[in-house]
Amino acid sequence: MDGPSVQLYSVRDAFAADPDETLRRLAAIGFGSVEPYGVVENVEALRAGLAAHGLSAPTAHAALVGKELDAVFAAARELGIEVVIEPMIPAAQWQNSADIVAAAEALNAAAKVAAGYGVRVGYHNHWWELESRIDGRSALEVFADRLDPEVVLEVDAYWAAAGGEDAPALLRRLAERVCAIHVKDGSLAVDASGQVPAGQGRVPLADVLAAAPEALRVVEFDRHEDVFGGIAESFAYLAGVGK
């Protein structure tokens, strides 16, 4: 596993205003990689900024289900992105087995297109995929069972815990399916209020990280007043736990 990454959605306002300066600040904190969002929309800024600041982008978020896929995967290939992750399938589509199977089939189909570009496909959870239960199991795990082997998961530990799941146990069950973890902490409020730097909130992050030692660590904030400061503190936390 490489050093930690950071989801650029965390600094979306700064990135929209000045992508080069935003990437410079993240590199100065110590990050060697970032997780972009909107790879097609941001491909020019990322092409220039990643190279200028010695950054890589092993993973990225981009909407896949129901979208034009070739442009996404072509941009990913150009930027050296290895895994393109669907950031969200709405909560209404996780309430019954038929919809969950349809979601898995959509990502399996996207993965076949991605393979032609040398790229893989993944999925990132929110709380609702864990809160929804199908025959006593989380909807996320029912979904994972229907994914082709090459499709991976990025588990957001904060949202998993907010959905009522034991996040370390979930990671152990999903095992090799997990390629990355969103490292995020806070009050577990589903409106993203009260998020704090890693290790300062209610998410059992030490146990989360131990449960998936090979997964890429991706720092993320949905909301934080001093986001660059919070990201720096989270980076330091990860350095302190040796990952």
Side-chain angles (χ1 to χ4, degrees):
M1 184 193 66
D2 296 327
S5 184
V6 55
Q7 167 57 249
L8 291 181
Y9 182 78
S10 309
V11 291
R12 55 198 175 274
D13 294 336
F15 185 79
D18 192 337
D20 183 75
E21 173 61 11
T22 300
L23 294 172
R24 185 201 67 78
R25 291 181 70 179
L26 294 172
I29 289 170
F31 289 97
S33 60
V34 296
E35 184 174 77
Y37 60 92
V39 292
V40 174
E41 300 87 340
N42 295 311
V43 65
E44 293 183 11
L46 291 166
R47 183 194 304 120
L50 295 176
H53 302 292
L55 294 165
S56 64
T59 60
H61 281 197
L64 299 175
V65 176
K67 303 298 182 180
E68 202 289 311
L69 297 174
D70 289 288
V72 174
F73 297 135
R77 180 172 63 186
E78 178 184 349
L79 296 170
I81 293 164
E82 300 167 20
V83 183
V84 177
I85 298 164
E86 168 64 64
M88 182 187 73
I89 295 173
Q93 293 174 242
W94 295 91
Q95 306 307 311
N96 63 72
S97 296
D99 285 346
I100 293 166
V101 169
E105 289 176 348
L107 281 197
N108 290 341
K112 290 179 171 57
V113 179
Y117 293 86
V119 177
R120 301 176 75 192
V121 162
Y123 182 73
H124 163 272
N125 65 282
H126 284 73
W127 69 88
W128 51 78
E129 302 94 337
L130 288 309
E131 190 175 69
S132 176
R133 313 300 287 190
I134 307 295
D135 296 328
R137 300 176 70 216
S138 74
L140 183 68
E141 291 172 90
V142 174
F143 172 74
D145 286 348
R146 301 303 295 259
L147 294 174
D148 289 343
E150 62 268 22
V151 181
V152 295
L153 296 174
E154 177 176 61
V155 174
D156 188 308
Y158 177 96
W159 289 136
E165 189 62 67
D166 179 330
L170 174 70
L171 286 161
R172 288 190 292 269
R173 291 195 300 272
L174 293 171
E176 289 80 12
R177 179 73 76 176
V178 180
C179 78
I181 296 171
H182 266 185
V183 177
K184 183 160 63 183
D185 211 342
S187 66
L188 304 184
V190 296
D191 67 356
S193 62
Q195 291 188 1
V196 297
Q200 299 180 24
R202 294 179 57 194
V203 180
L205 278 176
D207 293 337
V208 163
L209 298 174
E214 300 304 317
L216 177 67
R217 282 77 164 105
V218 184
V219 172
E220 188 192 35
F221 287 88
D222 297 289
R223 292 166 55 187
H224 191 59
E225 185 174 344
D226 176 18
V227 68
F228 282 99
I231 287 169
E233 288 188 67
S234 295
F235 183 89
Y237 170 83
L238 289 171
V241 296
K243 298 291 183 186

mmCIF file of all heavy atoms in Angstrom, residues 68-101:
data_model
loop_
_atom_site.group_PDB
_atom_site.id
_atom_site.type_symbol
_atom_site.label_atom_id
_atom_site.label_comp_id
_atom_site.label_asym_id
_atom_site.label_seq_id
_atom_site.Cartn_x
_atom_site.Cartn_y
_atom_site.Cartn_z
ATOM 1 N N GLU A 68 -22.290 8.369 -19.880
ATOM 2 C CA GLU A 68 -21.454 8.051 -21.041
ATOM 3 C C GLU A 68 -20.066 7.667 -20.494
ATOM 4 O O GLU A 68 -19.361 8.498 -19.932
ATOM 5 C CB GLU A 68 -21.357 9.275 -21.960
ATOM 6 C CG GLU A 68 -20.984 8.936 -23.391
ATOM 7 C CD GLU A 68 -19.544 8.489 -23.553
ATOM 8 O OE1 GLU A 68 -18.648 9.175 -23.044
ATOM 9 O OE2 GLU A 68 -19.318 7.438 -24.194
ATOM 10 N N LEU A 69 -19.698 6.417 -20.663
ATOM 11 C CA LEU A 69 -18.542 5.879 -19.942
ATOM 12 C C LEU A 69 -17.214 6.090 -20.649
ATOM 13 O O LEU A 69 -16.176 6.232 -19.982
ATOM 14 C CB LEU A 69 -18.751 4.384 -19.696
ATOM 15 C CG LEU A 69 -19.936 4.023 -18.805
ATOM 16 C CD1 LEU A 69 -20.121 2.508 -18.748
ATOM 17 C CD2 LEU A 69 -19.765 4.598 -17.407
ATOM 18 N N ASP A 70 -17.207 6.098 -21.956
ATOM 19 C CA ASP A 70 -15.919 6.141 -22.652
ATOM 20 C C ASP A 70 -15.125 7.393 -22.315
ATOM 21 O O ASP A 70 -13.904 7.335 -22.129
ATOM 22 C CB ASP A 70 -16.132 6.018 -24.160
ATOM 23 C CG ASP A 70 -16.572 4.613 -24.551
ATOM 24 O OD1 ASP A 70 -15.742 3.691 -24.503
ATOM 25 O OD2 ASP A 70 -17.760 4.441 -24.867
ATOM 26 N N ALA A 71 -15.794 8.530 -22.215
ATOM 27 C CA ALA A 71 -15.086 9.770 -21.888
ATOM 28 C C ALA A 71 -14.471 9.701 -20.494
ATOM 29 O O ALA A 71 -13.343 10.176 -20.273
ATOM 30 C CB ALA A 71 -16.036 10.960 -21.989
ATOM 31 N N VAL A 72 -15.195 9.105 -19.552
ATOM 32 C CA VAL A 72 -14.681 8.971 -18.184
ATOM 33 C C VAL A 72 -13.419 8.111 -18.174
ATOM 34 O O VAL A 72 -12.390 8.491 -17.588
ATOM 35 C CB VAL A 72 -15.747 8.362 -17.255
ATOM 36 C CG1 VAL A 72 -15.164 8.090 -15.872
ATOM 37 C CG2 VAL A 72 -16.956 9.282 -17.144
ATOM 38 N N PHE A 73 -13.482 6.964 -18.802
ATOM 39 C CA PHE A 73 -12.358 6.041 -18.723
ATOM 40 C C PHE A 73 -11.182 6.509 -19.575
ATOM 41 O O PHE A 73 -10.025 6.233 -19.249
ATOM 42 C CB PHE A 73 -12.803 4.636 -19.096
ATOM 43 C CG PHE A 73 -13.840 4.079 -18.153
ATOM 44 C CD1 PHE A 73 -14.973 3.428 -18.636
ATOM 45 C CD2 PHE A 73 -13.710 4.229 -16.779
ATOM 46 C CE1 PHE A 73 -15.933 2.921 -17.775
ATOM 47 C CE2 PHE A 73 -14.670 3.727 -15.904
ATOM 48 C CZ PHE A 73 -15.778 3.072 -16.403
ATOM 49 N N ALA A 74 -11.462 7.227 -20.656
ATOM 50 C CA ALA A 74 -10.366 7.804 -21.440
ATOM 51 C C ALA A 74 -9.613 8.849 -20.614
ATOM 52 O O ALA A 74 -8.371 8.890 -20.620
ATOM 53 C CB ALA A 74 -10.904 8.419 -22.729
ATOM 54 N N ALA A 75 -10.358 9.691 -19.884
ATOM 55 C CA ALA A 75 -9.716 10.682 -19.019
ATOM 56 C C ALA A 75 -8.928 10.001 -17.905
ATOM 57 O O ALA A 75 -7.815 10.422 -17.566
ATOM 58 C CB ALA A 75 -10.764 11.628 -18.437
ATOM 59 N N ALA A 76 -9.502 8.954 -17.344
ATOM 60 C CA ALA A 76 -8.803 8.219 -16.290
ATOM 61 C C ALA A 76 -7.490 7.636 -16.801
ATOM 62 O O ALA A 76 -6.444 7.732 -16.141
ATOM 63 C CB ALA A 76 -9.698 7.113 -15.740
ATOM 64 N N ARG A 77 -7.530 7.035 -17.971
ATOM 65 C CA ARG A 77 -6.306 6.464 -18.550
ATOM 66 C C ARG A 77 -5.252 7.548 -18.762
ATOM 67 O O ARG A 77 -4.076 7.362 -18.444
ATOM 68 C CB ARG A 77 -6.627 5.759 -19.860
ATOM 69 C CG ARG A 77 -5.401 5.132 -20.534
ATOM 70 C CD ARG A 77 -5.811 4.291 -21.723
ATOM 71 N NE ARG A 77 -6.462 5.100 -22.774
ATOM 72 C CZ ARG A 77 -7.008 4.575 -23.863
ATOM 73 N NH1 ARG A 77 -7.009 3.254 -24.064
ATOM 74 N NH2 ARG A 77 -7.565 5.362 -24.759
ATOM 75 N N GLU A 78 -5.681 8.692 -19.275
ATOM 76 C CA GLU A 78 -4.744 9.791 -19.511
ATOM 77 C C GLU A 78 -4.082 10.258 -18.221
ATOM 78 O O GLU A 78 -2.886 10.593 -18.207
ATOM 79 C CB GLU A 78 -5.474 10.962 -20.170
ATOM 80 C CG GLU A 78 -4.588 12.165 -20.411
ATOM 81 C CD GLU A 78 -5.341 13.354 -20.986
ATOM 82 O OE1 GLU A 78 -6.500 13.193 -21.386
ATOM 83 O OE2 GLU A 78 -4.746 14.449 -21.021
ATOM 84 N N LEU A 79 -4.834 10.271 -17.130
ATOM 85 C CA LEU A 79 -4.326 10.778 -15.851
ATOM 86 C C LEU A 79 -3.647 9.713 -14.999
ATOM 87 O O LEU A 79 -3.180 10.006 -13.902
ATOM 88 C CB LEU A 79 -5.478 11.404 -15.056
ATOM 89 C CG LEU A 79 -6.127 12.639 -15.702
ATOM 90 C CD1 LEU A 79 -7.399 13.017 -14.960
ATOM 91 C CD2 LEU A 79 -5.149 13.802 -15.741
ATOM 92 N N GLY A 80 -3.608 8.474 -15.473
ATOM 93 C CA GLY A 80 -2.975 7.409 -14.703
ATOM 94 C C GLY A 80 -3.822 6.881 -13.570
ATOM 95 O O GLY A 80 -3.305 6.242 -12.640
ATOM 96 N N ILE A 81 -5.124 7.132 -13.623
ATOM 97 C CA ILE A 81 -6.041 6.653 -12.590
ATOM 98 C C ILE A 81 -6.282 5.162 -12.790
ATOM 99 O O ILE A 81 -6.596 4.726 -13.887
ATOM 100 C CB ILE A 81 -7.361 7.438 -12.644
ATOM 101 C CG1 ILE A 81 -7.113 8.902 -12.250
ATOM 102 C CG2 ILE A 81 -8.425 6.815 -11.748
ATOM 103 C CD1 ILE A 81 -8.234 9.844 -12.637
ATOM 104 N N GLU A 82 -6.141 4.401 -11.722
ATOM 105 C CA GLU A 82 -6.281 2.949 -11.809
ATOM 106 C C GLU A 82 -7.703 2.477 -11.542
ATOM 107 O O GLU A 82 -8.143 1.480 -12.125
ATOM 108 C CB GLU A 82 -5.315 2.286 -10.818
ATOM 109 C CG GLU A 82 -3.856 2.604 -11.071
ATOM 110 C CD GLU A 82 -2.970 2.196 -9.919
ATOM 111 O OE1 GLU A 82 -3.399 1.345 -9.095
ATOM 112 O OE2 GLU A 82 -1.850 2.720 -9.821
ATOM 113 N N VAL A 83 -8.407 3.152 -10.637
ATOM 114 C CA VAL A 83 -9.762 2.745 -10.248
ATOM 115 C C VAL A 83 -10.679 3.961 -10.294
ATOM 116 O O VAL A 83 -10.408 4.967 -9.622
ATOM 117 C CB VAL A 83 -9.794 2.128 -8.832
ATOM 118 C CG1 VAL A 83 -11.206 1.646 -8.498
ATOM 119 C CG2 VAL A 83 -8.795 1.001 -8.688
ATOM 120 N N VAL A 84 -11.759 3.875 -11.069
ATOM 121 C CA VAL A 84 -12.777 4.914 -11.096
ATOM 122 C C VAL A 84 -13.952 4.429 -10.258
ATOM 123 O O VAL A 84 -14.511 3.359 -10.503
ATOM 124 C CB VAL A 84 -13.232 5.221 -12.532
ATOM 125 C CG1 VAL A 84 -14.358 6.259 -12.516
ATOM 126 C CG2 VAL A 84 -12.055 5.730 -13.362
ATOM 127 N N ILE A 85 -14.339 5.236 -9.269
ATOM 128 C CA ILE A 85 -15.289 4.822 -8.245
ATOM 129 C C ILE A 85 -16.591 5.594 -8.398
ATOM 130 O O ILE A 85 -16.590 6.836 -8.414
ATOM 131 C CB ILE A 85 -14.681 5.055 -6.844
ATOM 132 C CG1 ILE A 85 -13.422 4.199 -6.673
ATOM 133 C CG2 ILE A 85 -15.704 4.765 -5.755
ATOM 134 C CD1 ILE A 85 -12.546 4.606 -5.518
ATOM 135 N N GLU A 86 -17.685 4.855 -8.525
ATOM 136 C CA GLU A 86 -19.017 5.462 -8.510
ATOM 137 C C GLU A 86 -19.262 5.994 -7.092
ATOM 138 O O GLU A 86 -19.270 5.225 -6.127
ATOM 139 C CB GLU A 86 -20.072 4.423 -8.879
ATOM 140 C CG GLU A 86 -21.507 4.840 -8.616
ATOM 141 C CD GLU A 86 -21.975 6.025 -9.437
ATOM 142 O OE1 GLU A 86 -22.040 5.897 -10.678
ATOM 143 O OE2 GLU A 86 -22.275 7.067 -8.823
ATOM 144 N N PRO A 87 -19.450 7.319 -6.928
ATOM 145 C CA PRO A 87 -19.516 7.867 -5.574
ATOM 146 C C PRO A 87 -20.823 7.644 -4.842
ATOM 147 O O PRO A 87 -20.855 7.702 -3.611
ATOM 148 C CB PRO A 87 -19.278 9.361 -5.787
ATOM 149 C CG PRO A 87 -19.709 9.612 -7.192
ATOM 150 C CD PRO A 87 -19.407 8.362 -7.951
ATOM 151 N N MET A 88 -21.917 7.362 -5.580
ATOM 152 C CA MET A 88 -23.210 7.259 -4.889
ATOM 153 C C MET A 88 -24.262 6.699 -5.817
ATOM 154 O O MET A 88 -24.409 7.161 -6.949
ATOM 155 C CB MET A 88 -23.663 8.642 -4.396
ATOM 156 C CG MET A 88 -24.966 8.627 -3.636
ATOM 157 S SD MET A 88 -25.562 10.286 -3.252
ATOM 158 C CE MET A 88 -26.118 10.837 -4.863
ATOM 159 N N ILE A 89 -24.998 5.711 -5.330
ATOM 160 C CA ILE A 89 -26.270 5.308 -5.917
ATOM 161 C C ILE A 89 -27.331 5.644 -4.871
ATOM 162 O O ILE A 89 -27.183 5.262 -3.708
ATOM 163 C CB ILE A 89 -26.275 3.810 -6.280
ATOM 164 C CG1 ILE A 89 -25.235 3.535 -7.389
ATOM 165 C CG2 ILE A 89 -27.657 3.355 -6.719
ATOM 166 C CD1 ILE A 89 -25.045 2.062 -7.697
ATOM 167 N N PRO A 90 -28.385 6.383 -5.227
ATOM 168 C CA PRO A 90 -29.316 6.930 -4.229
ATOM 169 C C PRO A 90 -29.934 5.874 -3.317
ATOM 170 O O PRO A 90 -30.086 4.702 -3.680
ATOM 171 C CB PRO A 90 -30.378 7.624 -5.080
ATOM 172 C CG PRO A 90 -29.681 7.948 -6.353
ATOM 173 C CD PRO A 90 -28.728 6.826 -6.597
ATOM 174 N N ALA A 91 -30.320 6.337 -2.132
ATOM 175 C CA ALA A 91 -30.820 5.450 -1.078
ATOM 176 C C ALA A 91 -32.030 4.640 -1.524
ATOM 177 O O ALA A 91 -32.202 3.484 -1.105
ATOM 178 C CB ALA A 91 -31.172 6.271 0.161
ATOM 179 N N ALA A 92 -32.887 5.209 -2.370
ATOM 180 C CA ALA A 92 -34.097 4.505 -2.792
ATOM 181 C C ALA A 92 -33.791 3.211 -3.527
ATOM 182 O O ALA A 92 -34.637 2.314 -3.586
ATOM 183 C CB ALA A 92 -34.938 5.415 -3.675
ATOM 184 N N GLN A 93 -32.579 3.090 -4.064
ATOM 185 C CA GLN A 93 -32.222 1.917 -4.852
ATOM 186 C C GLN A 93 -31.547 0.822 -4.025
ATOM 187 O O GLN A 93 -31.022 -0.130 -4.607
ATOM 188 C CB GLN A 93 -31.332 2.342 -6.030
ATOM 189 C CG GLN A 93 -32.075 3.202 -7.028
ATOM 190 C CD GLN A 93 -31.184 3.748 -8.122
ATOM 191 O OE1 GLN A 93 -31.008 4.957 -8.274
ATOM 192 N NE2 GLN A 93 -30.610 2.863 -8.910
ATOM 193 N N TRP A 94 -31.601 0.953 -2.706
ATOM 194 C CA TRP A 94 -30.981 -0.045 -1.828
ATOM 195 C C TRP A 94 -31.999 -0.713 -0.905
ATOM 196 O O TRP A 94 -31.618 -1.328 0.088
ATOM 197 C CB TRP A 94 -29.879 0.623 -0.994
ATOM 198 C CG TRP A 94 -28.761 1.115 -1.842
ATOM 199 C CD1 TRP A 94 -28.633 2.355 -2.403
ATOM 200 C CD2 TRP A 94 -27.616 0.383 -2.251
ATOM 201 N NE1 TRP A 94 -27.479 2.437 -3.129
ATOM 202 C CE2 TRP A 94 -26.829 1.229 -3.055
ATOM 203 C CE3 TRP A 94 -27.155 -0.920 -2.006
ATOM 204 C CZ2 TRP A 94 -25.625 0.830 -3.628
ATOM 205 C CZ3 TRP A 94 -25.951 -1.316 -2.575
ATOM 206 C CH2 TRP A 94 -25.203 -0.455 -3.379
ATOM 207 N N GLN A 95 -33.259 -0.639 -1.248
ATOM 208 C CA GLN A 95 -34.290 -1.103 -0.329
ATOM 209 C C GLN A 95 -34.842 -2.487 -0.648
ATOM 210 O O GLN A 95 -35.583 -3.056 0.154
ATOM 211 C CB GLN A 95 -35.434 -0.090 -0.290
ATOM 212 C CG GLN A 95 -34.997 1.326 0.037
ATOM 213 C CD GLN A 95 -34.167 1.425 1.300
ATOM 214 O OE1 GLN A 95 -34.539 0.883 2.346
ATOM 215 N NE2 GLN A 95 -33.025 2.090 1.222
ATOM 216 N N ASN A 96 -34.492 -3.042 -1.813
ATOM 217 C CA ASN A 96 -34.957 -4.394 -2.124
ATOM 218 C C ASN A 96 -33.936 -5.096 -3.006
ATOM 219 O O ASN A 96 -33.095 -4.455 -3.638
ATOM 220 C CB ASN A 96 -36.335 -4.369 -2.802
ATOM 221 C CG ASN A 96 -36.311 -3.651 -4.135
ATOM 222 O OD1 ASN A 96 -35.773 -4.171 -5.113
ATOM 223 N ND2 ASN A 96 -36.897 -2.455 -4.179
ATOM 224 N N SER A 97 -34.013 -6.412 -3.032
ATOM 225 C CA SER A 97 -33.006 -7.216 -3.718
ATOM 226 C C SER A 97 -32.935 -6.916 -5.208
ATOM 227 O O SER A 97 -31.843 -6.881 -5.793
ATOM 228 C CB SER A 97 -33.284 -8.702 -3.496
ATOM 229 O OG SER A 97 -33.170 -9.039 -2.133
ATOM 230 N N ALA A 98 -34.082 -6.711 -5.845
ATOM 231 C CA ALA A 98 -34.083 -6.489 -7.294
ATOM 232 C C ALA A 98 -33.309 -5.225 -7.662
ATOM 233 O O ALA A 98 -32.516 -5.225 -8.620
ATOM 234 C CB ALA A 98 -35.515 -6.409 -7.806
ATOM 235 N N ASP A 99 -33.512 -4.157 -6.922
ATOM 236 C CA ASP A 99 -32.803 -2.907 -7.215
ATOM 237 C C ASP A 99 -31.308 -3.045 -6.930
ATOM 238 O O ASP A 99 -30.475 -2.474 -7.642
ATOM 239 C CB ASP A 99 -33.385 -1.763 -6.390
ATOM 240 C CG ASP A 99 -34.732 -1.284 -6.913
ATOM 241 O OD1 ASP A 99 -35.088 -1.644 -8.056
ATOM 242 O OD2 ASP A 99 -35.426 -0.564 -6.174
ATOM 243 N N ILE A 100 -30.977 -3.782 -5.885
ATOM 244 C CA ILE A 100 -29.563 -3.979 -5.542
ATOM 245 C C ILE A 100 -28.866 -4.791 -6.633
ATOM 246 O O ILE A 100 -27.741 -4.471 -7.054
ATOM 247 C CB ILE A 100 -29.443 -4.655 -4.166
ATOM 248 C CG1 ILE A 100 -29.936 -3.686 -3.076
ATOM 249 C CG2 ILE A 100 -28.011 -5.095 -3.893
ATOM 250 C CD1 ILE A 100 -30.169 -4.341 -1.737
ATOM 251 N N VAL A 101 -29.522 -5.828 -7.117
ATOM 252 C CA VAL A 101 -28.958 -6.629 -8.199
ATOM 253 C C VAL A 101 -28.785 -5.765 -9.449
ATOM 254 O O VAL A 101 -27.751 -5.845 -10.148
ATOM 255 C CB VAL A 101 -29.846 -7.854 -8.488
ATOM 256 C CG1 VAL A 101 -29.422 -8.533 -9.781
ATOM 257 C CG2 VAL A 101 -29.771 -8.834 -7.328
#
